[in-house]
Structures are given as structure tokens and as C-alpha cells.
Amino acid sequence: MTKLSNVEQGQTVRVVSIEESNVGRRLVEMGVYPGRSISMVRRAPFSDPIEYAVGEACLSLRESEADLVYVEDV
Amino acid sequence: MSAEVTSRVIRIALCGNPNSGKSTIFNYLTGLRQKVANYPGVTVSAHTGNFSLSENPDTEYSIIDVPGSYSLSAMSPDEYVAVQTLIGSLDRDKSQDGDPGSALDLVLVVLDASNLDRGLYLLAQIAEAGIPTVVVLNQIDIAERRSIRVNENKLSEIIGLPVISAVAHKGRGLDRLKELIANHTQIPPAKSLHRFNTDVESFLKEYGISNNVNQTASMSRPELIRALFDRRGPAEGRFLRINQDHASEKLEKLRGHLAKEYRGLPFAEAYPLAKTMSEIAEKVISHTGKKRVSGTDKIDSIVLHRFWGPLILLGIMVIVFQSIFTWAEPLMNLIDSGTSAVGAFIGSMIPEGALRSLIVDGVIGGVGSVIIFLPQIIILFFFLGLLEDSGYLPRASFIVDRLFRWCGLSGKSFVPMLSSFACAIPGIMATRVIESRRQRLLTILVAPLMSCSARLPIYAVLVSAFIPFQSYFGIFNSQGLTLVGLYALGMVVAVIVSLTLKATALKGESESFVMELPTFKAPTLKGIWIRVSISASAFLKRAGTVIFAVTIVVWALSYYPRSPELQSAYDTQVAQIEQQSAASLNSVNNSDSLIQVLSNQLAGENLRQSYIGRMGHTLEPVFRPLGWDWKITIAALSAFPAREVVIATLGTIYNLGKGQDETSGSLVAKLREATWDDGELAGQPVFNVAVAISLMVFFALCAQCGSTLAVIQRETNSWFWPAFVFTYMTTLAYLASWGAYNLVQALGF
Ligand SMILES: Nc1nc2c(ncn2[C@@H]2O[C@H](COP(=O)(O)OP(=O)(O)OP(=O)(O)O)[C@@H](O)[C@H]2O)c(=O)[nH]1
Ligand SMILES: [Mg+2]
């Protein structure tokens, strides 16, 4: 298990859990919840935030927010 | 009974995720022009519109365009509006209070077909309200392009509500929506789509309406759900007020259980709900082909590229501001010669006197010189429209977030800041999408520093009059670059102010930046036309109201009082000259120019003696260090209600300062000819590069806009912040203008 922020570009992983926080709840509402697969698309030009693809949506998360999500390899 | 029912207004709410197409549907139904754009969070306050249907001509419908949200647990002010609209209407349940007009008759939930699970999550929360609900499965064109098919019949069967597929911006599928609305009484009330675990369900039952003895003071199921899961939310407060006894303990005990089981109270609602909804989504979605690399992915790999991304962003900004200047030129010349011709024509029709002066010098000289800037306004909004509709703006936020965070803002401040280049008012409204109160406030405080379109006129006049044209590399030129420099000045100062505030009054960590990057879409001509026409008519309306009114006041103050002595002294002198020239036939030309000189002197003297001339002379010493004479001082001061007035005032003052036959000609020419009235510089030109730059810098930084201050008051709900903005901006403007004046002079211009 690792943090979402550590996932390399192009890699796809599965969400295991999320730390409790307001941002955490928002992430669930936007489709990031345990069992969902998520892939890291790219880092922004100045390295933060990071773009992830979940289902058909592209989300932008800051590194500190991606830190709240724990993932595992599929 | 039936008469009463059919004559009342049917209330409809439009809900759904951000960027799902709600405002597009709202506009289709009402024929109104609510702003539509391709980024999440366009609509930030609930708008209401009315319409009627040909199927049902006697009934009036009222529809609310609710700001998009991902759920009913609100994190930002714009999201809370959605909750209030729904829960507020539940509060006054139809069966319980006598006023049926206060409750919703119908809810339209708009789902984005490509992101069904997310939309269903919100639908499930809304469905708890038990209001008749229609589901609009929108943007199926985009879903199809991604090889996604949603089986609308199956979905309708599972959720027990009518579902229609639509492509809203083309109007496809919306006829059926109209039919459904016309027969809204046949639409079933929504039923719960999700059961919580037994502990939660029994809590909801215990405190729900059906079990409460005191019916009027009970809470509906959706409100109870909010009371349970939203710690310190508005619903919790009501719950504790209504239910005394052991309710508070019970609530906390259940919360404790749930928090432990799901590792976080919010997740006790969110996980099971998300899971149920994704299961429903899976059942109705089929993939018709292999997933292709979409156009969006290809574009993103370029515009979000490490190296090219920021360069492209910078390039776009430079191109936009350059073209505002270059493209508008021919059109502006056309309008300019048009108004001058009208002025000359009317001038020749009306006998000399106050009325002629009012029309030619006041209205045409004043308002006319503002209207010239219509083309620039149109070009600015055209480009903003392209950027907003394409879906590029959230990408720009993504790129700049790191930089913005460094100065205390967030990437989400980008759209409000960019909108402020058009006008600070929508810009400040757009800050509602920023969840963090502190960052929102910070954005509001610096947004007025972005050079809005009302500053363009003064920039344009001074740049084209006083900045020598020089071309670099064929595409850039000194005038365009000066303009870019003025815009940059506002931005740089905004960064400095923001950093200062961040380090002092508004300390704190920067907060959440979860944002969606929408699919790229080709901008529609219609969408851009709506934007351009709204802003053009708003501009003309301002010219016809505020600017017109201030102009008349300025004209009256600069026309009166008239001194009869001056006029009679002038008349005798003219008579003398004419006699002399009649005596010696050969000096006709000479006498004409003598009379012209005299008439200019008279006009100048009259203006000096006018109310405004006296005020100007009193105030001149204050602005003398900035290189301004009393006319510029008055013009700048008159622009405090609205910036464009400065042009109108200069137009009026310079017209009045000239003798007869010289009032036509462009403002640029008049400014170039302006000379100092008195003092050591008398007779020398007022304007040079240094003065022009000093004046432009002042306008770039000064808070000269009553409406902006009013909006800040409304959005922050405090008088302190608008006062603060006014003070800091005006002080900065004075100091920077003084600095710029001295610097440019020292550089030898
Ligand atoms: N391709 C496609 N685009 C659509 C459709 N419906 C709306 N759009 C576009 O989607 C974008 C968002 O539409 P809006 O109506 O502004 O969305 P909204 O739901 O009001 O968004 P917020 O106000 O941010 O909550 C706009 O660019 C629309 O032109 C559709 O069916 N297909
Ligand atoms: Mg909208």
C-alpha cells in the first residue's frame, strides 16, 4: 500500500482508503472511493498539482491532497 | 379547486453536477441568456426564470438554475445555495403549510452521461426529498464519442423516474423534456435509491416525520441525513433545537459508531452511497468499442506540457491583449469620424449658446468619446468567450496553481482574476467557487487590480497619442507592449499585495484544490455571441446612464458661471479687428487668425473661471507631483464613480477650452495640442510620455469604480473590506504614479 501521490506517471492503481477530511469526502463524491481504479496522468508544469484519471473524468489534486489517498497495485 | 391549481405558478429546480449543462437547459426553456461556459462553477447563485409551454398555455412555470454541486453536503458558498433550495423547500412540506407556492413541484436532475456514477450520487441525495423528479441524461454526444452508451430505459426502470437523453446545446431531446414538464402531475415522486445500514435507518425512522408527535416541528428524511452526517452543519443545529431530551447523546453515539466503522463520519454516508450508485451505473452502461485516445488527451499533452504549457499560456495572454489594440483600430477610427461628423453637423444647426455647448461639448464630446471603445470591448469578450467555451481555463488554473499558491492564492483564483480583466464585478462573483474563506477574501481584495475593460479607453487614448510607434520582430510593437506592460503592472502589484496580506492579516495554510478538467469542446458561435452582446449592451447602457449623467454634471460645472465682462471685452476686440481689416483689405487672413486666437483665449479664460476650473486649481497642487495640470486632475477625480468617465470629462473640458470651429477633431489630437494654462510652464505641452504614463499607472491601480466596491461589500458582507480596498488601491495608485512620472523623466523622455 502506498500514497496516491507516489504513483508514477502512466501507472494505474486501486484505491484502498482515504484519510478523514473535508477533501476526502469531496474526493468520494467525485468518484475516488475504495475499490475504484485511478491512474496518474501527469504532473503540472511546475510539478504540483497532479492530474489523475478516474473513470471518464480528469481530476486535478495537489500533492498534499493526493497524500490523503492510500492505493495498492492492481 | 381546479381553477386554483391551474392558475398557480409551477416551481421547478434544475440541479446537477457542475458543468453538466444545467444553464444550457435553463436558457433553452426560458429563452434567457444565463452565462454558459465550459468549466465547473459558472453559475454561482441561483437564478430564476419564467416560461410557458404551448402544450399548456395557461400555466406559468418558474425554474431555478441552481449552482452545480457534487453533493448536498456543501463545502463552498455556491454549493450551499443548492442545499438551501432543496432542503428549504422541504422544510415547508406541501401537505403541512398552507402556501403551496413555496414548495417545489418538480426537480430536473441533469446528469453528464460520461460521468454517470457521480451524477447518480447527487441524484440519490436529491431523491430523498421525495419530489417528482425527471432525469436528463445530457451530453450523450460526448459519451458516444468515448464509446459509452447508457441504456435510458433500464436506468429509468431501476430508479423509478422518467429519464430522457439529450444534447442540450443542440436542443436535442429537450422537446420530450417540455412534454414531461407539461404533464408534470403524472411524474412520480422520487423514492429513496439507497438504504443505509440498520443503525442509521432506525435513527432516521425514530426522528423522522411519521414518528414525531409534534408534526410541525419535525424533520424530513433528507434533512435528518444532513443533520447526522454534516458535523456542525445547519441541519444539525435545527435537529438539536427541535429534539431535546437524549437526542444529542444519541446523535453523538451513532456518529461515534459510524466514524469508527468507516474510519471517518463523512465516509459512512459517502462510501455506501458511492458504491450503490456505481453498481447502478455499471448495470446501465455498455462500452460500444475500445476506448480511444480522445482529442482532449491529445490537446492536453500539448497545452499541459512541462515546457510548452506555460509558454502557450503566456502566448495566449499576449496575443489577446495585443489584438485588442491592433484589431480595434480601424473600427474605432470609423466610429470616431462618425461622432465627430455628427458633432460638427449638430453644431452647425444649433445657434451658439448653452444648448449647443451642452450637446456638442457635453454629450457628443463626452459620451461620444467613450462609445469609441465599443470595438475593444467586443474583441476582449470575444477572446474570453473562446477561452471559456473551449475548456482551456481550468487547464490554466492547473498550470498556475503552484505560482498562485506561492502568493497566497490558489489555482481556482485564476478564473476570477481573468474575468476581472473584463470587469471586476463578475470576477468577484466568480470567487464563490473558492472553498477556503481566506483565499476567497484574498482573491476578492486583489481582483480589482486586474485591468478591467473600463480602463482600456484611457490606456488606448494615451498610448496611441503619446507612445511612439516602433515595431519589433514584425509581430510586437511598442504600443501593444506598453498595453501589456500596464496589464502586467496590475498583476505584479496584485502579487505583492497578496503576499503582504498573506504574511500579515490573512495568515493560514492554503486549502483544497480538487478540480475537474472538463472535456475540450469547440466553442459555439451562439455562446460567444451571447457573451459579446451582453457585455456590449452593458457597456452602452453604462455610457447612456452613469457616464452620461456624470458628463452632464461635469459639463455644467465647466460651462458655468459665464462672465459677461469677458464676453463683451472679446466682442469689442473682435469688432476692432474687423474694422481694421475692413479698412486695409489686404490683411483678411491675418484678421481671421487673430480672431481665432482671441476666441481660444476667451474659451480658456471662461473655463478657468468656471466652477470646475476653480476646483481644479485648488486641487492641482495635490496632483502636481504626478505631472498633472488641473484639467487632468479634474478628469481623474470625476472618474471615481466609473473609470470611463475620465475620457468623457477630458473630451468635454478640451472642447470647452477651445474657441469656435475647433471643437471637432479627435480627443487624441486635442490632448496632443493641450498646453499649460499658467505657471512657469505656461504654453508648453501638458502631455508627454512621462505624464501619459503617470496617468495610466494611476488608472491601472486606483479603485475608481463604485459598483466594484458595492459588490465587495455584498460578497464579504462587511463595510471594512470595501473601505480597505479603496484606501490601499488609491494610496498605491498615487505613490506608483508619482514614482513612474519621476522615473520616466529621469530616463529622459
Ligand atoms: N457536447 C455537448 N456540450 C454541451 C451539452 N450541454 C451543454 N454543453 C456545453 O457544456 C458546457 C457547460 O454547460 P453549462 O450549461 O454552462 O453547465 P452548467 O451545468 O450550468 O454548469 P455550472 O453552472 O458550472 O454548474 C458548455 O460549454 C455547454 O455549451 C451537450 O449535450 N453536449
Ligand atoms: Mg450554470
Side-chain angles (χ1 to χ4, degrees):
Chain A
M1 206 163 74
T2 172
K3 286 180 174 180
L4 180 59
S5 51
N6 295 333
V7 175
E8 305 270 308
Q9 181 161 8
Q11 228 183 315
T12 303
V13 290
R14 183 178 295 124
V15 178
V16 179
S17 68
I18 303 174
E19 269 176 42
E20 182 183 2
S21 59
N22 275 339
V23 179
R25 175 199 290 225
R26 169 53 42 89
L27 286 174
V28 179
E29 290 160 5
M30 292 178 91
V32 183
Y33 46 82
R36 206 74 201 282
S37 48
I38 182 169
S39 47
M40 149 43 160
V41 181
R42 63 169 63 80
R43 280 179 172 269
F46 303 110
S47 138
D48 195 20
I50 311 169
E51 181 187 347
Y52 295 97
V54 185
E56 291 298 317
C58 296
L59 304 183
S60 146
L61 305 188
R62 286 187 184 153
E63 212 171 289
S64 58
E65 289 151 359
D67 273 345
L68 300 172
V69 182
Y70 293 90
V71 295
E72 62 184 10
D73 290 339
V74 276
Chain B
M1 178 205 154
S2 64
E4 208 175 61
V5 167
T6 50
S7 68
R8 79 182 178 88
V9 178
I10 305 298
R11 288 185 79 235
I12 306 172
L14 250 174
C15 306
N17 286 163
N19 213 33
S20 56
K22 298 174 297 299
S23 298
T24 310
I25 294 174
F26 177 88
N27 289 351
Y28 179 89
L29 290 173
T30 58
L32 292 174
R33 297 186 301 184
Q34 175 76 282
K35 183 170 170 183
V36 166
N38 188 14
Y39 57 88
V42 180
T43 310
V44 288
S45 59
H47 284 260
T48 307
N50 293 313
F51 64 99
S52 56
L53 295 172
S54 52
E55 292 92 335
N56 222 350
D58 298 330
T59 314
E60 209 189 324
Y61 299 89
S62 152
I63 186 164
I64 315 170
D65 185 11
V66 180
S69 63
Y70 292 103
S71 92
L72 291 187
S73 66
M75 284 171 76
S76 64
D78 65 316
E79 285 178 342
Y80 193 62
V81 176
V83 183
Q84 279 174 318
T85 309
L86 282 165
I87 302 226
S89 91
L90 297 167
D91 240 3
R92 288 162 267 133
D93 192 281
K94 263 195 266 188
S95 57
Q96 286 175 29
D97 76 31
D99 173 22
S102 66
L104 288 174
D105 295 281
L106 185 63
V107 179
L108 307 180
V109 177
V110 185
L111 305 183
D112 171 358
S114 318
N115 289 296
L116 197 60
D117 52 344
R118 241 174 35 192
L120 287 173
Y121 184 101
L122 177 67
L123 173 69
Q125 291 188 322
I126 293 172
E128 298 288 358
I131 304 170
T133 301
V134 172
V135 172
V136 182
L137 195 57
N138 195 31
Q139 312 210 6
I140 52 168
D141 54 332
I142 292 186
E144 260 158 33
R145 252 186 275 149
R146 293 172 168 176
S147 315
I148 296 172
R149 264 193 54 94
V150 180
N151 186 334
E152 72 174 65
N153 295 330
K154 204 161 166 191
L155 178 61
S156 169
E157 218 170 89
I158 295 175
I159 62 178
L161 296 169
V163 176
I164 54 169
S165 301
V167 182
H169 68 309
K170 299 240 163 79
R172 245 169 67 197
L174 296 185
D175 283 336
R176 260 202 66 209
L177 177 63
K178 281 185 172 177
E179 274 170 41
L180 283 170
I181 295 174
N183 300 312
H184 77 97
T185 45
Q186 282 152 39
I187 295 167
K191 57 180 195 338
S192 291
L193 299 177
H194 171 75
R195 295 273 116 193
F196 292 97
N197 72 21
T198 43
D199 292 345
V200 175
E201 287 296 338
S202 62
F203 171 86
L204 295 176
K205 224 190 200 131
E206 183 178 347
Y207 290 98
I209 286 172
S210 47
N211 272 20
N212 197 308
V213 202
N214 187 357
Q215 287 267 317
T216 48
S218 60
M219 287 171 89
S220 57
R221 183 177 157 93
E223 212 183 351
L224 270 175
I225 295 176
R226 299 273 48 90
L228 173 60
F229 292 116
D230 297 352
R231 252 203 188 104
R232 286 186 290 282
E236 176 192 271
R238 210 169 100 82
F239 176 82
L240 295 179
R241 252 177 287 125
I242 294 175
N243 304 288
Q244 275 124 17
D245 304 342
H246 303 295
S248 154
E249 281 160 41
K250 266 205 177 138
L251 180 67
E252 283 314 322
K253 201 170 150 220
L254 178 56
R255 280 177 170 178
H257 273 312
L258 291 171
K260 210 159 151 205
E261 187 180 342
Y262 290 93
R263 279 195 271 161
L265 175 63
F267 298 140
E269 177 191 21
Y271 286 165
L273 194 51
K275 194 154 165 282
T276 316
M277 292 308 124
S278 76
E279 280 161 15
I280 296 183
E282 243 161 56
K283 278 186 208 147
V284 297
I285 290 177
S286 51
H287 293 269
T288 52
K290 265 185 71 185
K291 203 181 159 182
R292 289 168 292 178
V293 178
S294 68
T296 295
D297 294 339
K298 281 183 215 147
I299 301 174
D300 271 344
S301 63
I302 302 167
V303 298
L304 297 182
H305 187 271
R306 285 232 142 157
F307 179 70
W308 297 115
L311 274 187
I312 291 173
L313 177 59
L314 199 67
I316 290 176
M317 306 290 273
V318 171
I319 288 173
V320 169
F321 295 124
Q322 278 270 144
S323 25
I324 287 175
F325 211 61
T326 24
W327 292 9
E329 190 80 11
L331 279 169
M332 291 173 64
N333 289 339
L334 210 68
I335 301 182
D336 192 7
S337 38
T339 48
S340 299
V342 171
F345 175 72
I346 296 184
S348 67
M349 304 278 293
I350 309 176
E352 173 146 18
L355 180 65
R356 176 165 116 182
S357 172
L358 170 65
I359 293 178
V360 175
D361 303 326
V363 178
I364 298 175
V367 179
S369 27
V370 175
I371 291 185
I372 296 177
F373 298 96
L374 188 60
Q376 297 196 324
I377 306 286
I378 290 177
I379 293 173
L380 176 68
F381 281 90
F382 171 78
F383 277 113
L384 276 181
L386 278 185
L387 289 177
E388 289 187 332
D389 271 2
S390 62
Y392 181 72
L393 289 186
R395 266 92 188 165
S397 303
F398 180 71
I399 294 174
V400 302
D401 180 57
R402 185 68 183 263
L403 300 178
F404 272 46
R405 204 177 340 152
W406 175 74
C407 41
L409 302 169
S410 108
K412 286 190 182 171
S413 312
F414 183 80
V415 173
M417 296 293 237
L418 188 73
S419 313
S420 298
F421 284 116
C423 174
I425 294 162
I428 288 168
M429 303 262 301
T431 61
R432 291 190 197 174
V433 298
I434 304 173
E435 288 127 20
S436 147
R437 231 194 78 76
R438 196 183 58 84
Q439 273 175 8
R440 174 158 181 253
L441 186 58
L442 207 49
T443 312
I444 290 177
L445 298 182
V446 296
L449 282 170
M450 303 297 109
S451 278
C452 65
S453 55
R455 279 151 166 133
L456 252 177
I458 183 79
Y459 292 170
V461 163
L462 293 176
V463 165
S464 62
F466 302 105
I467 306 297
F469 186 91
Q470 236 166 22
S471 176
Y472 311 105
F473 312 117
I475 41 168
F476 300 119
N477 64 64
S478 53
Q479 296 190 335
L481 289 180
T482 307
L483 197 65
V484 172
L486 285 163
Y487 280 95
L489 173 70
M491 295 189 247
V492 170
V493 172
V495 169
I496 297 172
V497 170
S498 167
L499 275 177
T500 315
L501 285 172
K502 184 189 162 197
T504 53
L506 293 172
K507 268 194 195 136
E509 278 304 296
S510 52
E511 285 148 68
S512 131
F513 185 67
V514 185
M515 186 185 65
E516 190 174 357
L517 303 175
T519 321
F520 275 110
K521 287 171 188 164
T524 60
L525 266 181
K526 194 176 144 208
I528 292 177
W529 164 245
I530 288 178
R531 209 153 325 192
V532 168
S533 64
I534 289 178
S535 50
S537 54
F539 174 74
L540 289 177
K541 201 174 141 208
R542 266 161 80 83
T545 53
V546 185
I547 298 173
F548 180 76
V550 180
T551 304
I552 300 280
V553 173
V554 168
W555 170 83
L557 289 177
S558 25
Y559 189 78
Y560 296 106
R562 298 252 114 178
S563 146
E565 292 95 68
L566 277 177
Q567 185 67 36
S568 61
Y570 166 78
D571 287 343
T572 26
Q573 274 181 305
V574 170
Q576 267 176 11
I577 294 171
E578 274 169 351
Q579 260 175 10
Q580 280 169 10
S581 76
S584 58
L585 283 163
N586 54 352
S587 62
V588 177
N589 290 336
N590 194 14
S591 77
D592 270 0
S593 62
L594 265 178
I595 292 177
Q596 191 58 56
V597 169
L598 278 177
S599 126
N600 277 346
Q601 273 174 4
L602 171 71
E605 200 52 47
N606 267 328
L607 186 58
R608 247 190 311 273
Q609 295 206 350
S610 68
Y611 295 117
I612 228 166
R614 293 177 208 170
M615 276 166 21
H617 279 97
T618 317
L619 292 168
E620 194 187 273
V622 180
F623 293 93
R624 190 66 194 77
L626 313 186
W628 302 1
D629 74 343
W630 70 266
K631 291 177 189 170
I632 305 179
T633 302
I634 286 294
L637 291 180
S638 71
F640 270 88
R643 293 188 175 87
E644 303 96 318
V645 170
V646 66
I647 292 298
T649 306
L650 285 173
T652 304
I653 294 186
Y654 280 111
N655 265 4
L656 281 170
K658 285 284 173 190
Q660 38 187 296
D661 303 330
E662 281 200 17
T663 51
S664 58
S666 69
L667 185 57
V668 169
K670 286 177 210 157
L671 294 183
R672 279 190 180 137
E673 287 160 14
T675 52
W676 285 89
D677 275 354
D678 42 28
E680 64 210 80
L681 290 169
Q684 291 190 36
V686 174
F687 284 95
N688 51 38
V689 177
V691 174
I693 289 190
S694 140
L695 188 55
M696 288 191 287
V697 166
F698 187 84
F699 271 77
L701 302 181
C702 194
Q704 292 163 307
C705 180
S707 327
T708 301
L709 296 173
V711 167
I712 296 179
Q713 195 279 324
R714 203 181 67 203
E715 294 292 314
T716 59
N717 202 12
S718 124
W719 289 100
F720 173 77
W721 292 116
F724 174 79
V725 167
F726 181 81
T727 317
Y728 98 77
M729 284 182 72
T730 309
T731 314
L732 267 183
Y734 187 91
L735 294 177
S737 175
W738 176 80
Y741 177 65
N742 286 298
L743 182 70
V744 178
Q745 266 194 333
L747 292 175
F749 286 100

